[in-house]
Amino acid sequence: MYHALDKLAQALARALALAGGVVLLGITLLTCVSIIGRVFVPLDIGLGPIRGIYDMTEIGMAAAIFAFLPWAQFKEAHARVDLFQFAMPRKADQFLDLLFNAGMAFVAAVGTYRLYLGMQDKLSYGETTLIAQIPVWQGYAAGLIGAVGFVIVSVFCTFRALRRLAGYVDNPEGIQA
């Protein structure tokens, strides 16, 4: 069962990270098109910058960042200080990993809940971006997709850290050592 959960969490984290990468590529392309459009403004041939590019970039960056969080958590790539790890007993280090993962799952859950409440607030007031008039709740909703994935992956990583503390070793072949 663990290996199925591992594959599911990895697939979710990978899919969200790839989606975040696609969003970043899209933002880059839109920005390039907008910059090229600015060059044509003096020629007065009807081409110009993309209206609301700043709004689209802001929403896209937020969505991409939230989409990358599950992959960073799954790969244990968040910033950490390992000054005393070499001197620490292995079980103590594994216990600290468990605490870190549980704390991250808690922070992810609270952050996701607050993001959801913020989205509901923006939806109820009908707030839009200044230039492009994009409903602000849509940016929150885009970020919420990655945030929910972050919660799911963080809970799995807590379970994985608990297994390591209990003495289970994960091998690529799926053999318990």
Side-chain angles (χ1 to χ4, degrees):
M1 180 176 129
Y2 170 77
H3 295 290
L5 289 174
D6 180 56
K7 288 184 183 201
L8 183 65
Q10 183 175 11
L12 175 64
R14 185 182 306 257
L16 286 170
L18 289 172
V22 168
V23 169
L24 282 182
L25 288 173
I27 291 169
T28 303
L29 180 66
L30 281 176
T31 302
C32 290
V33 169
S34 185
I35 290 169
I36 291 169
R38 289 170 200 252
V39 171
F40 290 113
V41 169
L43 301 177
D44 198 26
I45 58 174
L47 298 175
I50 297 174
R51 185 173 181 269
I53 188 68
Y54 299 114
D55 299 339
M56 291 180 239
T57 301
E58 182 179 22
I59 290 170
M61 286 298 295
I65 289 168
F66 276 106
F68 294 141
L69 288 174
W71 185 250
Q73 181 66 20
F74 184 81
K75 289 295 188 177
E76 300 175 348
H78 287 293
R80 57 190 276 177
V81 179
D82 295 334
L83 292 176
F84 302 106
Q85 185 178 17
F86 68 92
M88 199 178 297
R90 185 169 182 216
K91 285 293 181 189
D93 185 44
Q94 289 174 337
F95 180 73
L96 287 177
D97 277 344
L98 175 63
L99 283 179
F100 168 77
N101 282 295
M104 189 62 84
F106 176 76
V107 167
V110 170
T112 300
Y113 175 67
R114 298 303 302 174
L115 187 63
Y116 171 76
L117 292 178
M119 181 189 75
Q120 291 297 324
D121 186 53
K122 300 300 180 187
L123 183 60
S124 68
Y125 286 106
E127 187 177 334
T128 61
T129 60
L130 184 63
I131 299 169
Q133 297 297 303
I134 301 168
V136 175
W137 72 266
Q138 292 177 0
Y140 280 74
L144 199 56
I145 295 167
V148 169
F150 186 34
V151 171
I152 293 167
V153 172
S154 294
V155 169
F156 167 77
C157 290
T158 302
F159 176 60
R160 180 175 63 187
L162 184 61
R163 277 179 50 93
R164 286 180 189 159
L165 185 63
Y168 289 95
V169 178
D170 298 321
N171 296 325
E173 297 83 26
I175 301 168
Q176 180 181 334

